[in-house]
Amino acid sequence: ALETTYEEMVSLKLEKKLALLGDIIQSNILNELPLEFFGVDSNKILTILSEAPKKVNAFLSTLLELSRNTELRNEHFYHTALRSYQELNFNYFIDLEKLAVEYRKEKDGSMMKEGEIKNVLQSKYGYNFQELDLAQYPELISIRSVLYPKKGNLLLINPNLSLAQRRFIFARELSFNLLDVKVRPLTFSYNRIRSFDELHNNFRASYLSVSLLIDEARFKDDIKDFFQTKKFDSKRIDKLLTKYQVTPEMLLHRLTSILPKFFGIRSLFFLRFNNPRQEDYFSLSKELHLSKKHNPHGNRLGEHYCRRWVALGVLKELNKNQKSGKGNKLVIRAQVSKYLGSENEYLCISIARHMGPTPNVNSSVTLGLLVNKDLRKKVVFLNDLSIKIREVNSTCERCPAENCKDRVAESFVINNINAKEKVKGALSNLESSL
């Protein structure tokens, strides 16, 4: 009779301006976000939403638009939240360290050889092992392992993995069982993140596995000896990799836990860059910053990272070696990076290697330590004159350096900023002259 719908009469649907707010309230997103990690009560958020719905809706619309422009997805939020959690704890987790110490005592201080870990997985947790059939499934060449719990804990291993990579896979599976974790990824490396709990549990298992493979007490003494050398010697890093039978990433990432806790070195960062062979393209695939957001850091704006960074320099050197037939031998370099327009400088240690089993891709991992008086006392080789000192910046687009031979893109961002400052100055002068 009124030529309208029941929903419109009783207002079951929010008006267009509040539609986004309604979608958020009706969805399960507040339960999926890791709010408890940061002491945030989801009920308080609902209270805020209800008290000023139009303003909150406008704010959420702004955030949504920003996320669309930078192609941010929920998995990016999960990774950022986890990284913040690590940074708040200076990437040191005492419960996991204690568990590693206790387990190693149970095994009489064993160095956790590959066969030993496999035997434990097989005898105690009922694992079975097979090689991943890459001839039949070539699309899985970059996958390192797949677990099928319903098929008798069948673990398929990529046959192209190195010894260090296999040990990590087995130690990671052992860690999932020691932690009694049920919500976890079954593939490694995995592409789809289903929840923050899955990502967090994967991090804890990975952290524990590295703690099991790199004994805290022994490693601490090794690093102390390394820092006391007068000259930077890349062979010492090579020896540590051999001693602990770990990958460069595991070694440097372990340092991000040990240095803040036992050496008082808290201002540091860790970066991992990927670089397809034969291409001048570098993507930052992993980063961690302790004490503050250091340069360099990631950007999702498609800008070109400064080619003067040692993290990119070692990748270029590795690529050159591969082209000349020298193979995939690790490239290990140190550099002191001074940032243009800033007093900050960092001691950066970078290692480049072929990113096996992924074909035709190289990767570098970098540890950066903020240079100050305290660091110079603790790291004797920092005074080694053979270590290169280079002026660097974040990206080419934001760099004011003129006549830079390493530049690969115009500095349009900094140019736009300078142009606006000139307009601002001209307007100020105009006002003064009137």
Side-chain angles (χ1 to χ4, degrees):
L2 297 175
E3 295 184 352
T4 187
T5 63
Y6 172 77
E7 287 81 3
E8 189 173 347
M9 292 286 287
V10 298
S11 300
L12 288 178
K13 293 183 179 180
L14 291 172
E15 59 182 291
K16 184 178 180 181
K17 292 182 179 179
L18 300 179
L20 177 60
L21 185 57
D23 291 341
I24 290 175
I25 293 174
Q26 292 177 16
S27 72
N28 196 39
I29 190 170
L30 292 180
N31 292 326
E32 291 180 357
L33 297 179
L35 300 173
E36 68 279 359
F37 273 87
F38 305 99
V40 179
D41 186 348
S42 58
N43 291 324
K44 291 182 179 180
I45 292 181
L46 287 173
T47 301
I48 295 173
L49 293 177
S50 63
E51 288 177 348
K54 289 187 177 180
K55 291 182 179 179
V56 172
N57 188 81
F59 177 67
L60 292 174
S61 296
T62 302
L63 292 181
L64 181 60
E65 186 66 24
L66 286 173
S67 69
R68 284 173 177 166
N69 290 339
T70 53
E71 297 184 353
L72 292 176
R73 298 184 293 276
N74 63 336
E75 61 192 75
H76 297 132
F77 181 87
Y78 290 155
H79 279 293
T80 302
L82 177 61
R83 190 163 60 243
S84 297
Y85 175 62
Q86 292 175 253
E87 292 165 358
L88 285 171
N89 290 278
F90 286 97
N91 203 37
Y92 188 87
F93 298 89
I94 189 65
D95 60 325
L96 299 177
E97 297 289 351
K98 285 182 177 179
L99 183 56
V101 171
E102 290 169 1
Y103 188 82
R104 216 172 356 253
K105 282 183 179 178
E106 182 184 323
K107 297 297 179 182
D108 298 322
S110 168
M111 286 290 286
M112 304 289 291
K113 294 181 180 178
E114 178 185 1
E116 294 173 353
I117 309 174
K118 286 183 70 175
N119 287 338
V120 172
L121 290 173
Q122 203 163 19
S123 60
K124 189 170 183 179
Y125 300 108
Y127 274 67
N128 294 294
F129 308 100
Q130 287 184 19
E131 285 192 350
L132 190 61
D133 189 350
L134 298 180
Q136 186 173 356
Y137 303 101
E139 301 85 359
L140 303 180
I141 193 169
S142 298
I143 296 296
R144 302 188 179 189
S145 68
V146 186
L147 177 67
Y148 292 98
K150 294 181 180 179
K151 295 184 181 294
N153 272 352
L154 176 62
L155 184 65
L156 301 181
I157 305 292
N158 191 313
N160 297 325
L161 296 183
S162 67
L163 171 60
Q165 290 172 325
R166 291 197 307 271
R167 286 182 73 235
F168 176 74
I169 294 293
F170 295 133
R172 178 173 169 270
E173 290 300 325
L174 175 61
S175 298
F176 277 125
N177 285 281
L178 291 176
L179 294 170
D180 194 24
V181 167
K182 305 301 180 186
V183 180
R184 52 155 294 181
L186 298 178
T187 60
F188 180 75
S189 299
Y190 59 105
N191 298 318
R192 192 166 69 95
I193 301 172
R194 291 172 292 187
S195 68
F196 180 77
D197 284 341
E198 182 179 272
L199 182 65
H200 179 239
N201 289 337
N202 181 70
F203 160 73
R204 284 177 60 81
S206 298
Y207 184 103
L208 178 57
S209 66
V210 176
S211 300
L212 289 169
L213 297 176
I214 304 179
D215 175 75
E216 181 181 86
R218 292 175 182 171
F219 191 57
K220 184 172 58 176
D221 291 339
D222 288 334
I223 296 305
K224 186 176 180 180
D225 291 341
F226 174 54
F227 281 172
Q228 291 304 307
T229 57
K230 293 183 179 181
K231 295 282 186 179
F232 174 77
D233 185 2
S234 61
K235 291 180 180 178
R236 281 182 168 266
I237 295 177
D238 236 338
K239 288 178 180 178
L240 288 176
L241 292 169
T242 302
K243 176 179 179 178
Y244 292 101
Q245 295 182 348
V246 294
T247 66
E249 181 167 347
M250 292 164 64
L251 187 81
L252 294 192
H253 212 276
R254 184 69 168 136
L255 280 169
T256 66
S257 302
I258 298 299
L259 294 183
K261 179 68 176 179
F262 297 105
F263 292 82
I265 301 174
R266 292 190 162 192
S267 293
L268 58 82
F269 63 80
F270 171 88
L271 304 174
R272 182 182 70 199
F273 278 95
N274 293 344
N275 170 228
R277 286 193 197 179
Q278 319 300 332
E279 293 183 29
D280 190 34
Y281 172 77
F282 305 89
S283 63
L284 182 60
S285 56
K286 192 173 186 178
E287 64 178 319
L288 180 70
H289 299 260
L290 301 188
S291 82
K292 66 176 183 177
K293 195 74 170 178
H294 304 276
N295 273 326
H297 54 76
N299 77 80
R300 301 195 61 80
L301 302 173
E303 295 180 14
H304 297 77
Y305 294 108
C306 178
R307 269 34 180 185
R308 292 180 175 181
W309 291 350
V310 66
L312 275 56
V314 289
L315 285 169
K316 290 180 179 179
E317 187 174 343
L318 176 59
N319 199 309
K320 183 179 179 180
N321 292 343
Q322 290 166 337
K323 288 180 180 178
S324 62
K326 294 181 180 179
N328 294 320
K329 186 179 179 180
L330 297 179
V331 177
I332 306 172
R333 298 286 179 266
Q335 174 183 301
V336 172
S337 300
K338 290 187 174 183
Y339 279 83
L340 287 169
S342 168
E343 295 181 355
N344 291 343
E345 57 182 77
Y346 294 86
L347 169 65
C348 298
I349 299 173
S350 287
I351 309 174
R353 84 280 197 200
H354 167 57
M355 196 178 175
T358 305
N360 301 317
V361 176
N362 294 327
S363 180
S364 74
V365 285
T366 300
L367 179 71
L369 310 177
L370 181 66
V371 176
N372 50 35
K373 290 182 180 179
D374 186 51
L375 188 72
R376 290 189 180 278
K377 291 178 182 178
K378 293 172 180 175
V379 183
V380 176
F381 68 73
L382 186 52
N383 298 311
D384 181 1
L385 297 178
S386 67
I387 296 178
K388 286 185 178 181
I389 301 174
R390 300 200 73 185
E391 284 192 329
V392 300
N393 211 314
S394 54
T395 64
C396 290
E397 287 81 353
R398 299 173 186 273
C399 181
E402 297 181 0
N403 303 319
C404 175
K405 295 180 180 179
D406 300 298
R407 180 180 292 282
V408 293
E410 293 299 321
S411 55
F412 69 87
V413 174
I414 195 72
N415 290 342
N416 288 340
I417 293 173
N418 292 337
K420 289 179 181 179
E421 287 297 318
K422 289 180 180 179
V423 170
K424 182 180 177 182
L427 288 173
S428 178
N429 292 335
L430 175 61
E431 183 180 6
S432 301
S433 65
L434 295 176

